[in-house]
């Protein structure tokens, strides 16, 4: 039976109201008049000055989505249609939250994006700046009757797919930021980023969503329950396995670091076992994981295979190690028996494994994000198509990093705050969430860089994070920028 989610509807609504007022101020005739009187027109495709208060509000509400960039672009591109589209979007969001709550608002946004894909017709709630473009092209996209305002069919399909993924990302971000009192919010946020379709279905566990009349089909719960069974079986097997790394350091590491050390060990164990399992199954005919999940959901047919021979579990494990985007090459390369793609995925996993082994798992998410930034000298000559690809890729790194946190660091009371920060690619806030990375102090121990009394360090607590931790993973020392 569905129950109502305990979300901070009022807090979010107040933020929407503040955003609406500030947006009106920054798009007033006076404010836009200053833009028109400037020396050169501002390009929304290149870094531009904007109001810091508005930028902070937009980031807090919409995170890494094209609605954030569109709302900010409206303050420097004097176009009445664009301003009206943005204002209506803010108003509609606030009205839905006021009338029905956060869960209904998120479900409505995601469902709207899914319907647009099925109809092959962009929704009016897809932001005009879903793909970076110059001011004249942006103005054309704001005209509802303009022919092919989102380009040809292929470009349009790619943009609609990107839009629904951004709505999944928004759903995860909002559940983390505004659902601290809801026990199911973390699981829903993780699933939004790991498997958006299932994450959307999990919103139906809120009675308010069901009251709006969505499909009553709850068979997705068979998949959710089965994944929980697989994780429990894996936990049991891990508990009986040998862990020489943990045993060797157990007596030398401060007690407050032991959970971090165990998390490091579990990551290394799972990464090694995953590669071994895929290698052992390479010459064996296996059913695609999606088909197995479909049989389970619609026909109640559970996979009849051992844990490490189960493509469903292997896919789920890969996502927990690398994120949904980062694991695609490894998982799809195996299921399609594409050796080149599989090796690309394996090399990436080995790289992440090396980071965990050297610096600890708590250092992995920020490094994943920094690795996704674009080089400054790559961005400058890049076309708008390339810039769009760079920006989307960077945001996906935030998704993957958040999945790692939500999958492997939830033993730490600060993990929710860290996941919220890293989902928005905010490395500084992520570090601030974990005292042992130099972010402050907590009841769990001191913030002296993570050394135990005898000077030894334990796993991910072995030092503070700075840019050098990530730049060491890059090929050279060129600067990086973010297209946002």
């Amino acid at each position: 039976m569905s129950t109502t989610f305990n979300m901070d509807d009022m807090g979010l609504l107040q933020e929407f109201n503040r955003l609406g007022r500030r947006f009106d101020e920054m798009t007033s005739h006076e404010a836009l008049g200053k833009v028109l009187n400037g020396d050169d027109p501002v390009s929304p495709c290149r870094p531009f000055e904007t109001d810091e208060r508005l930028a902070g509000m937009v980031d807090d509400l919409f995170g890494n989505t094209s609605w954030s960039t569109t709302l900010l672009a409206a303050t420097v591109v004097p176009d009445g249609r664009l301003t009206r589209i943005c204002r209506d979007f803010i108003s509609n969001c606030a009205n839905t939250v006021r009338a029905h709550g956060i869960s209904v608002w998120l479900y409505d946004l995601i469902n709207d994006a899914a319907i647009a894909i099925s109809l092959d017709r962009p929704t009016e709630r897809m932001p005009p700046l879903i793909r970076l473009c110059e001011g004249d092209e942006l103005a054309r996209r704001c005209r509802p009757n303009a022919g092919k305002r989102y380009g040809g069919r292929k470009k349009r399909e790619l943009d609609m797919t990107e839009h629904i993924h951004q709505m999944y990302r928004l759903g995860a971000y909002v559940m983390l930021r505004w659902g601290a009192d809801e026990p199911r919010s973390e699981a829903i946020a993780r699933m939004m980023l790991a498997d958006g379709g299932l994450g959307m279905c999990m919103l139906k566990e809120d009675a308010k969503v069901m009251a709006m009349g969505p499909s009553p089909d709850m068979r997705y719960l068979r998949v959710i329950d089965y994944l929980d069974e697989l994780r429990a079986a894996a936990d049991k097997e891990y508990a009986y396995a040998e862990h020489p790394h943990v045993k060797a350091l157990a007596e030398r590491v401060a007690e407050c670091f032991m959970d971090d050390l165990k998390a490091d060990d579990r990551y290394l164990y799972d990464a090694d076992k995953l590669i071994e399992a895929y290698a052992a199954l390479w010459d064996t005919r296996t059913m695609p994981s999606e088909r197995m999940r479909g049989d389970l959901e619609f026909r109640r047919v559970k996979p009849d295979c051992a844990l490490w021979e189960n493509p469903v579990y292997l896919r789920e494990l890969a996502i927990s190690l690398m994120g949904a985007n980062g694991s695609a090459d490894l998982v799809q390369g195996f299921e399609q028996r594409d050796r080149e793609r599989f090796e690309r995925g394996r090399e990436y996993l080995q790289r992440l494994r090396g980071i965990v082994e050297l610096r600890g798992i708590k250092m992995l998410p920020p490094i994943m994000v920094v690795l996704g930034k674009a080089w400054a000298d790559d961005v400058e000559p890049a076309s708008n198509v390339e810039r769009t690809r760079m920006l989307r890729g960077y945001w996906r790194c935030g998704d993957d990093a958040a999945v790692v946190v939500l999958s492997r660091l939830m033993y730490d009371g600060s993990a929710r705050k860290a996941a919220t920060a890293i989902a928005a690619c905010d490395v500084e806030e992520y570090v601030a969430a974990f005292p042992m990375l130099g972010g402050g102090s907590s009841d769990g121990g001191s913030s002296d860089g993570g050394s135990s009394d005898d000077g030894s360090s334990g796993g991910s607590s072995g030092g503070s994070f700075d840019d050098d931790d990530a730049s060491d993973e890059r090929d050279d020392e060129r600067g990086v920028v973010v297209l946002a």
Side-chain angles (χ1 to χ4, degrees), residues 198-230:
L198 281 179
M200 174 188 176
C201 289
M202 291 176 74
L203 290 174
K204 293 196 291 185
E205 295 175 27
D206 189 335
K208 291 182 179 179
V209 174
M210 291 304 296
M212 301 304 294
S215 168
D217 185 355
M218 304 295 280
R219 288 177 292 183
Y220 74 91
L221 289 172
R222 297 172 186 169
V223 178
I224 300 292
D225 292 342
Y226 182 62
L227 293 177
D228 288 340
E229 290 178 19
L230 293 175

Side-chain angles (χ1 to χ4, degrees), residues 50-338:
T50 188
D51 179 67
E52 291 186 4
R53 281 182 56 197
L54 180 65
M57 293 176 182
V58 166
D59 288 341
D60 287 345
L61 284 169
F62 298 112
N64 289 341
T65 68
S66 293
W67 271 115
S68 293
T69 53
T70 299
L71 289 167
L72 294 179
T75 66
V76 296
V77 178
D79 184 281
R81 292 190 183 91
L82 176 61
T83 302
R84 185 167 57 254
I85 288 172
C86 292
R87 186 176 291 118
D88 289 347
F89 179 71
I90 295 172
S91 177
N92 290 336
C93 289
N95 290 339
T96 304
V97 173
R98 182 182 297 108
H100 305 291
I102 289 176
S103 299
V104 172
W105 170 58
L106 293 177
Y107 189 90
D108 183 48
L109 285 176
I110 298 171
N111 188 56
D112 179 68
I115 291 174
I117 291 176
S118 65
L119 297 178
D120 191 25
R121 188 173 65 223
T123 169
E124 292 302 316
R125 283 187 275 185
M126 184 167 80
L129 210 57
I130 187 70
R131 181 183 293 270
L132 295 178
C133 62
E134 299 299 337
D136 54 348
E137 173 64 17
L138 181 59
R140 190 173 71 86
R141 292 182 188 176
C142 295
R143 297 198 298 269
N145 296 325
K148 294 186 177 181
R149 58 175 174 152
Y150 286 102
R153 180 175 181 178
K154 183 177 181 180
K155 183 183 293 186
R156 184 175 67 249
E157 290 176 349
L158 289 173
D159 288 348
M160 288 191 294
T161 300
E162 173 66 18
H163 175 56
I164 194 171
H165 283 296
Q166 289 190 14
M167 293 302 98
Y168 293 146
R169 180 182 300 136
L170 176 62
Y173 183 71
V174 169
M175 293 301 291
L176 289 172
R177 193 170 185 88
W178 305 99
D181 295 328
E182 171 50 51
R184 289 163 288 190
S185 61
E186 291 166 357
I188 294 174
R190 181 194 179 278
M191 195 59 74
M192 285 282 188
L193 298 174
D195 190 321
L198 281 179
M200 174 188 176
C201 289
M202 291 176 74
L203 290 174
K204 293 196 291 185
E205 295 175 27
D206 189 335
K208 291 182 179 179
V209 174
M210 291 304 296
M212 301 304 294
S215 168
D217 185 355
M218 304 295 280
R219 288 177 292 183
Y220 74 91
L221 289 172
R222 297 172 186 169
V223 178
I224 300 292
D225 292 342
Y226 182 62
L227 293 177
D228 288 340
E229 290 178 19
L230 293 175
R231 294 189 198 103
D235 291 344
K236 184 176 181 180
E237 179 181 305
Y238 174 78
Y240 286 103
E242 291 291 328
H243 309 292
H245 176 62
V246 175
K247 290 182 179 180
L249 293 176
E251 296 181 357
R252 296 167 44 213
V253 174
E255 183 177 353
C256 61
F257 300 145
M258 279 306 300
D259 287 339
D260 294 342
L261 179 62
K262 292 176 182 178
D264 294 348
D265 184 75
R266 182 62 185 272
Y267 189 99
L268 302 179
Y269 173 88
D270 284 345
D272 291 341
K273 291 282 287 185
L274 179 64
I275 295 298
E276 291 175 8
Y278 274 142
L281 291 173
W282 188 267
D283 295 325
T284 303
R285 185 176 181 180
T286 56
M287 188 181 298
S289 58
E290 284 298 323
R291 181 178 171 185
M292 297 174 75
R293 285 175 34 153
D295 287 345
L296 172 63
E297 180 175 357
F298 301 112
R299 298 173 54 207
R300 290 193 179 185
V301 178
K302 281 190 176 183
D304 183 18
C305 49
L307 182 68
W308 294 103
E309 297 176 356
N310 188 336
V312 174
Y313 174 67
L314 298 183
R315 175 183 179 273
E316 173 66 13
L317 181 61
I319 290 174
S320 77
L321 293 166
M322 311 162 71
N325 304 289
S327 64
D329 282 338
L330 185 71
V331 174
Q332 296 302 318
F334 168 76
E335 296 196 349
Q336 298 168 6
R337 298 307 191 270
D338 183 335

